[in-house]
Amino acid sequence: MNKLVKSIKEAIQLAGLKDGMTVSFHHHLRNGDYVLNMVMDEIAGLGIRDLTVNASSLFDVHLPLIDHIKNKVVTSVAADYIAAGLGKAFSIGIMDNPVQFRTHGGRPSDIAQGKTPIDVAFIAAPSADVMGNCSGKYGKSACGSLGYAFADAMYAKKVVVITDNLMPYPMEGWSISEDYIDYVVEVDAIGDPKGIVSGTTKITRDPVGLVMASHAAKVIEASGLLKDGFSFQTGAGGASLAAAKFLKDIMLEKNIKGSFGLGGITGYMVDMLKAGCFRSLLDVQCFDLDAVESIKNDPRHQEISAMQYASPTSRSAAVDSLDVVILGATEIDTDFNINVHTDSNGYIMGGSGGHSDTAAGAKLSMIIAPMFRARLPIVTDKVTCISTPGKDIDVLVTQGGIAVNPNKVELRQRLADAGLPVVDIMELKEKTERITGRPDRLPKGDRVVAEVISRYGDIQDKIYNVVE
Amino acid sequence: MNKLVKSIKEAIQLAGLKDGMTVSFHHHLRNGDYVLNMVMDEIAGLGIRDLTVNASSLFDVHLPLIDHIKNKVVTSVAADYIAAGLGKAFSIGIMDNPVQFRTHGGRPSDIAQGKTPIDVAFIAAPSADVMGNCSGKYGKSACGSLGYAFADAMYAKKVVVITDNLMPYPMEGWSISEDYIDYVVEVDAIGDPKGIVSGTTKITRDPVGLVMASHAAKVIEASGLLKDGFSFQTGAGGASLAAAKFLKDIMLEKNIKGSFGLGGITGYMVDMLKAGCFRSLLDVQCFDLDAVESIKNDPRHQEISAMQYASPTSRSAAVDSLDVVILGATEIDTDFNINVHTDSNGYIMGGSGGHSDTAAGAKLSMIIAPMFRARLPIVTDKVTCISTPGKDIDVLVTQGGIAVNPNKVELRQRLADAGLPVVDIMELKEKTERITGRPDRLPKGDRVVAEVISRYGDIQDKIYNVVE
């Protein structure tokens, strides 16, 4: 007995997929993923329609989804992040139902609670054995952690593992175990390694980015949180990485032994682990090859599920123990609400991912952003879309000053005492507008193309169509 | 924020334990366990009554449970195995409700399916951090795998981790993750290391045992299953270990590369892993210090949950891929039904554990037993209690011959062709009785003291009280 079936088509049929059901995917193969498209093409070929696609994130490699939406194979989409190419299609209104945006913690929470049941989950597995034990750590398509796929595997009615590296049973070092898996399909390739893990993003050399990064590190140093046991998450953008580099220098100089680095993990976080800045990395997704190598070889670099990362209905999640997170923004308003869903023209080009979850959990949640991009100011009266509520954001770091949420009186004082350029967010807005001018407010369409569901399950905001 | 509470009593109160609820325990600390007694004493002290205790196994270190039963603190007990001292108490009828015996696979299956809900699970953890990530691999009370505790942690309404080795968050190498844990209690000691992992049981030197072991190894060799990819489970008894030793010699001599060793793991299985007889060990419980050391240090030695080990409602379990299992018996009848629950006087002194699960899953399930013990023959007309149904048992190996289940025609032929002393089980019975005489049938009491629930959930047999 084993679970190998000869094709994705056969697995879909055996899983009993029918009109109106929900299929799910995870995004660890990122812009290199072949699996979602392969599966959706087979589903379309079988004449199955009216499906919900629940994906932890969608990238532009998934643009063929547009045709499946036009053909009504797919009529609903749920995701935590949608890249700009697909986002634009949703924004101009290709789908009748609004996209449901969740957070990386809210998605597994809703799956576990039965609010968003999955009929058939498809796990893109860089290695697997014939009974479905699988891992992202090994194989030509290695992606490291499979953190976002755990909820899908554990709660879906049927689970299909798709792999391009079939190993003898039992494989060594599985992440998701056979007791959850129904079928295994071997294919030639589950993804394009070049798209799965891009080379490590380089630290910014842009002077504005370096000023922001330096400020960010100094804010952390002045916050009172940078001491033994310190924990930290940052993104993969150039300025965030530069901030991590400056922070590492401070930690090494002061001999501070942190506890853990969290999140999507980059080679820079691996460097901090190796340098002794942290005892451990908790990894829900690897962003680059250095992270993949590290999670494979270093037992201190530990895989976590999305539930353990960020679910608000877990008994606890790692974000609840997080000291500092550095986050990005496309807009921030004077109430510190953050938009990471839409661009300056109102088009969907992102999503919360773990933004709201880490902001809610961390003791200090910091936004790094330039005062303006393409002559559009970052600070606005009211964000186009509330991705993360202002109550969870503590500080905004720009090259033109550091704005502290008024509800953080002590933090503001600490930063001022440290000689950092603290400014009122209204002042920062005005200062920016003196450079850029005040942009016109975008006209809003009359159709809701996406709902932003908070990590706790309520509808936090709605995104309207863009009239072109 | 952390989950540390100052005492077991406080954890019980915070968990909201009330009259009539169910508490659960796992048995990796075996006869060295302090946790069940500590918890039950606190529960009794709080005046809570009418509880169900659902334990994966009970040992004689848990004899204080008798007082809690007499005092009606505990009114129902479910377990997969109950040692002789406690078993005797149940057999003479100290509890009004019958004990519910399940298998190591049936227990997590019923928990996962909601048939046996747990209100508060207590996890005895040789190491844990303040958020409840925990492992059996490290600490003075290290027991290795925590396999049987996973279902309790994942499905109980409240989960309390009790540890004597509190580690900084996040600990390295957890088995059960924080997202399942509500409270953590630090105590001086969770167990007595001498009782947790006894020294490795020695291979038998008894000539009868050695004959049986040699036969057992030859049966496996002749079965056609001993080839590359071979998988194997055996118990920790002296003759079973001797069989493993003989098997190892054959595998090394013939250069056979097996796939995995399964189950409760002993140092002898670790030796087979190190010698290249297996690629992997799948470990739901460590029986000795060598196994604990190995699971801590060797990534090929992998922890599995009881669901992954043996649950009949998992999508698959490791037992489904098992080639050969060597099992024991106190009685076997001429239909090959096995009793491992009661002794020759009808007293409860064991239980299925993984007996039924592995027998159902393995391609070849073999019983090793001497023809008689203390002048009582092993083969009988009808076992006192059906622990494992005869349809799942393939062969009985004794010093006086090898009996093959009549439904295994090909196997019988293979063994005969190999020159092994194949006998009909009726002949074996008669041959034994010529030595021992035919014992009188035990008188049966009129009260059911235990129900034996099959791994699939039906009541397979009932155990009656012993009239003293």
Side-chain angles (χ1 to χ4, degrees):
Chain A
M1 176 225 178
N2 67 53
K3 299 174 183 172
L4 265 186
V5 299
K6 66 176 190 297
S7 66
I8 291 173
K9 181 177 170 184
E10 188 181 350
I12 293 165
Q13 292 173 311
L14 287 167
L17 188 70
K18 296 201 168 49
D19 290 1
M21 286 186 170
T22 295
V23 293
S24 84
F25 302 92
H26 63 102
H27 72 280
H28 296 89
L29 303 186
R30 304 173 61 78
N31 209 40
D33 176 49
Y34 292 163
V35 167
L36 186 144
N37 293 339
M38 290 195 293
V39 169
M40 293 313 302
D41 286 351
E42 292 294 343
I43 288 173
L46 286 164
I48 303 170
R49 292 163 58 90
D50 194 22
L51 294 178
T52 295
V53 169
N54 183 342
S56 52
S57 294
L58 292 169
F59 289 85
D60 284 344
V61 71
H62 302 128
L63 279 168
L65 199 53
I66 291 174
D67 282 335
H68 298 306
I69 292 169
K70 287 182 178 163
N71 294 334
K72 307 286 181 192
V73 173
V74 174
T75 51
S76 294
V77 169
D80 308 340
Y81 174 97
I82 296 179
L86 260 177
K88 183 158 190 174
F90 289 117
S91 285
I92 60 176
I94 58 157
M95 195 167 71
D96 292 339
N97 294 315
V99 169
Q100 291 204 320
F101 273 115
R102 285 184 180 74
T103 72
H104 280 339
R107 178 179 186 271
S109 175
D110 280 355
I111 293 170
Q113 307 275 310
K115 293 182 184 171
T116 50
I118 297 167
D119 293 291
V120 188
F122 296 90
I123 312 289
S127 51
D129 64 35
V130 293
M131 298 303 277
N133 293 300
C134 60
S135 166
K137 295 175 188 170
Y138 318 101
K140 66 178 178 182
S141 304
C143 62
S145 177
L146 289 182
Y148 294 118
F150 281 74
D152 306 48
M154 293 172 71
Y155 297 101
K157 293 188 189 77
K158 295 287 177 184
V159 182
V160 179
V161 162
I162 299 173
T163 190
D164 54 8
N165 183 35
L166 197 63
M167 300 174 78
Y169 178 89
M171 70 166 287
E172 187 181 318
W174 66 76
S175 300
I176 296 173
S177 56
E178 63 174 290
D179 41 320
Y180 298 112
I181 309 303
D182 293 284
Y183 307 107
V184 178
V185 186
E186 190 180 19
V187 297
D188 289 339
I190 59 169
D192 174 2
K194 288 198 291 292
I196 296 170
V197 278
S198 48
T200 300
T201 305
K202 290 285 185 295
I203 286 180
T204 187
R205 290 169 178 266
D206 166 48
V208 169
L210 287 171
V211 168
M212 294 191 301
S214 166
H215 281 172
K218 286 176 184 157
V219 166
I220 295 169
E221 188 179 12
S223 70
L225 294 166
L226 190 63
K227 54 193 177 193
D228 284 350
F230 175 73
S231 57
F232 180 59
Q233 174 165 342
T234 188
S240 299
L241 295 176
K245 170 69 175 65
F246 290 137
L247 184 66
K248 177 183 163 192
D249 293 343
I250 296 170
M251 291 180 76
L252 292 178
E253 187 194 319
K254 294 192 166 181
N255 195 28
I256 292 166
K257 305 289 183 196
S259 54
F260 67 96
L262 176 64
I265 297 293
T266 63
Y268 287 95
M269 294 292 267
V270 172
D271 288 344
M272 291 180 83
L273 175 71
K274 288 181 180 163
C277 297
F278 303 121
R279 272 189 292 103
S280 182
L281 296 178
L282 303 182
D283 187 340
V284 69
Q285 179 188 8
C286 294
F287 281 130
D288 58 35
L289 278 174
D290 289 345
V292 173
E293 277 303 301
S294 172
I295 199 173
K296 188 168 77 178
N297 298 316
D298 190 337
R300 299 174 301 173
H301 187 154
Q302 305 185 84
E303 184 173 16
I304 53 173
S305 74
M307 286 84 84
Q308 189 175 1
Y309 171 44
S311 170
T313 55
S314 288
R315 313 293 167 93
S316 70
V319 296
D320 301 326
S321 296
L322 186 61
D323 284 330
V324 175
V325 64
I326 297 181
L327 296 163
T330 58
E331 290 177 310
I332 179 168
D333 67 26
T334 50
D335 291 326
F336 286 80
N337 295 307
I338 303 296
N339 177 17
V340 287
H341 278 86
T342 60
D343 67 13
S344 53
N345 294 313
Y347 290 107
I348 292 167
M349 47 60 68
S352 185
H355 199 289
S356 293
D357 303 303
T358 51
K363 293 191 186 70
L364 173 65
S365 59
M366 179 196 303
I367 303 293
I368 297 190
M371 292 163 76
F372 51 88
R373 290 193 186 94
R375 299 200 66 78
L376 283 168
I378 204 86
V379 183
T380 176
D381 287 327
K382 190 170 183 320
V383 286
T384 316
C385 168
I386 299 177
S387 304
T388 295
K391 70 174 176 53
D392 290 335
I393 300 297
D394 299 316
V395 60
L396 164 67
V397 172
T398 72
Q399 76 273 38
I402 298 167
V404 181
N405 191 318
N407 69 15
K408 290 281 176 170
V409 177
E410 189 198 331
L411 178 65
R412 189 190 161 100
Q413 191 59 52
R414 281 179 176 271
L415 303 192
D417 291 348
L420 287 164
V422 175
V423 291
D424 187 274
I425 197 163
M426 293 299 298
E427 285 171 40
L428 189 60
K429 177 169 178 286
E430 284 155 19
K431 182 174 167 185
T432 309
E433 287 174 355
R434 282 197 294 274
I435 302 168
T436 62
R438 188 161 188 179
D440 295 331
R441 221 168 152 73
L442 278 178
K444 201 185 236 184
D446 53 4
R447 251 188 70 202
V448 174
V449 294
E451 294 174 342
V452 177
I453 299 168
S454 86
R455 68 192 299 255
Y456 307 106
D458 50 304
I459 294 182
Q460 182 167 278
D461 210 341
K462 295 176 180 178
I463 299 172
Y464 290 82
N465 66 308
V466 177
V467 185
E468 293 201 302
Chain B
M1 178 225 178
N2 67 53
K3 298 173 183 173
L4 265 187
V5 299
K6 65 177 189 301
S7 66
I8 291 174
K9 181 177 169 184
E10 188 181 350
I12 294 165
Q13 291 174 311
L14 286 168
L17 188 70
K18 296 200 168 47
D19 290 1
M21 286 185 170
T22 295
V23 292
S24 84
F25 302 92
H26 65 103
H27 72 280
H28 297 89
L29 303 186
R30 304 171 63 76
N31 209 42
D33 177 47
Y34 292 163
V35 167
L36 185 145
N37 293 339
M38 290 195 294
V39 169
M40 293 313 302
D41 286 351
E42 292 294 344
I43 288 172
L46 286 164
I48 302 169
R49 291 161 60 88
D50 194 21
L51 295 178
T52 295
V53 169
N54 183 341
S56 52
S57 293
L58 292 169
F59 289 84
D60 284 345
V61 70
H62 302 128
L63 279 168
L65 199 55
I66 292 175
D67 282 336
H68 297 306
I69 292 169
K70 287 182 177 161
N71 295 333
K72 308 288 182 190
V73 173
V74 174
T75 51
S76 294
V77 169
D80 308 341
Y81 174 97
I82 297 179
L86 259 176
K88 185 159 189 173
F90 288 117
S91 285
I92 61 177
I94 58 157
M95 196 168 70
D96 292 340
N97 294 316
V99 169
Q100 291 204 321
F101 273 115
R102 285 183 180 77
T103 72
H104 280 339
R107 178 179 185 271
S109 175
D110 281 355
I111 292 170
Q113 308 275 309
K115 293 181 184 172
T116 50
I118 296 167
D119 293 292
V120 188
F122 295 90
I123 312 289
S127 52
D129 64 35
V130 293
M131 298 304 277
N133 293 299
C134 60
S135 165
K137 294 175 188 170
Y138 319 100
K140 65 178 178 181
S141 305
C143 62
S145 177
L146 288 182
Y148 295 118
F150 280 76
D152 305 49
M154 292 172 71
Y155 296 101
K157 293 189 191 77
K158 295 287 176 183
V159 182
V160 179
V161 162
I162 300 173
T163 189
D164 54 8
N165 184 34
L166 197 64
M167 300 175 79
Y169 178 89
M171 70 166 288
E172 187 181 318
W174 68 76
S175 300
I176 296 174
S177 56
E178 64 174 290
D179 40 322
Y180 297 113
I181 310 301
D182 293 284
Y183 308 107
V184 178
V185 186
E186 189 181 19
V187 296
D188 290 339
I190 59 169
D192 174 3
K194 288 197 290 293
I196 296 170
V197 277
S198 48
T200 301
T201 305
K202 290 284 183 298
I203 286 179
T204 188
R205 289 165 180 268
D206 165 48
V208 169
L210 287 171
V211 168
M212 295 192 300
S214 166
H215 281 170
K218 286 175 184 161
V219 166
I220 295 169
E221 188 179 13
S223 71
L225 295 166
L226 191 62
K227 54 193 178 193
D228 285 349
F230 174 73
S231 58
F232 180 58
Q233 174 165 344
T234 187
S240 299
L241 294 177
K245 169 70 174 65
F246 290 136
L247 184 68
K248 177 183 163 192
D249 294 341
I250 296 170
M251 291 179 77
L252 292 178
E253 187 194 320
K254 294 192 166 181
N255 194 28
I256 291 166
K257 305 289 182 197
S259 54
F260 68 96
L262 177 64
I265 298 293
T266 63
Y268 287 95
M269 294 292 267
V270 172
D271 288 344
M272 292 180 81
L273 175 72
K274 287 180 180 164
C277 297
F278 304 119
R279 272 189 292 102
S280 182
L281 296 178
L282 303 182
D283 186 340
V284 69
Q285 180 189 8
C286 295
F287 281 130
D288 57 35
L289 279 173
D290 288 346
V292 173
E293 277 303 301
S294 172
I295 200 173
K296 188 167 78 177
N297 298 315
D298 190 336
R300 300 173 300 173
H301 186 154
Q302 305 185 84
E303 185 173 16
I304 54 173
S305 73
M307 285 84 82
Q308 191 176 0
Y309 172 43
S311 170
T313 55
S314 288
R315 313 293 167 94
S316 71
V319 296
D320 301 327
S321 295
L322 186 61
D323 285 329
V324 175
V325 64
I326 297 181
L327 296 163
T330 58
E331 291 177 310
I332 178 167
D333 66 26
T334 50
D335 292 326
F336 286 80
N337 295 306
I338 303 295
N339 177 17
V340 286
H341 278 86
T342 60
D343 67 15
S344 53
N345 295 312
Y347 289 107
I348 291 167
M349 46 59 69
S352 184
H355 199 289
S356 293
D357 302 304
T358 50
K363 293 191 186 69
L364 173 64
S365 59
M366 178 197 303
I367 304 293
I368 298 190
M371 292 162 77
F372 51 88
R373 291 193 186 96
R375 300 201 65 78
L376 285 167
I378 204 85
V379 182
T380 175
D381 287 329
K382 189 172 184 320
V383 287
T384 315
C385 168
I386 299 177
S387 304
T388 295
K391 69 174 176 53
D392 290 335
I393 301 297
D394 300 315
V395 60
L396 165 67
V397 172
T398 71
Q399 76 273 39
I402 297 167
V404 181
N405 192 319
N407 69 15
K408 288 282 174 168
V409 177
E410 189 199 333
L411 177 65
R412 188 189 161 100
Q413 192 59 51
R414 281 178 177 270
L415 303 192
D417 291 349
L420 286 164
V422 175
V423 292
D424 187 273
I425 196 163
M426 293 299 297
E427 285 172 38
L428 189 60
K429 176 170 178 286
E430 284 153 20
K431 181 175 168 185
T432 309
E433 286 172 357
R434 283 198 294 276
I435 303 169
T436 62
R438 187 161 187 180
D440 295 333
R441 229 182 139 66
L442 276 179
K444 201 186 236 182
D446 53 6
R447 248 188 71 200
V448 175
V449 295
E451 294 174 343
V452 177
I453 300 166
S454 86
R455 69 192 298 253
Y456 307 105
D458 49 304
I459 295 181
Q460 182 167 277
D461 209 340
K462 294 176 182 179
I463 299 172
Y464 290 81
N465 66 307
V466 176
V467 185
E468 293 202 303

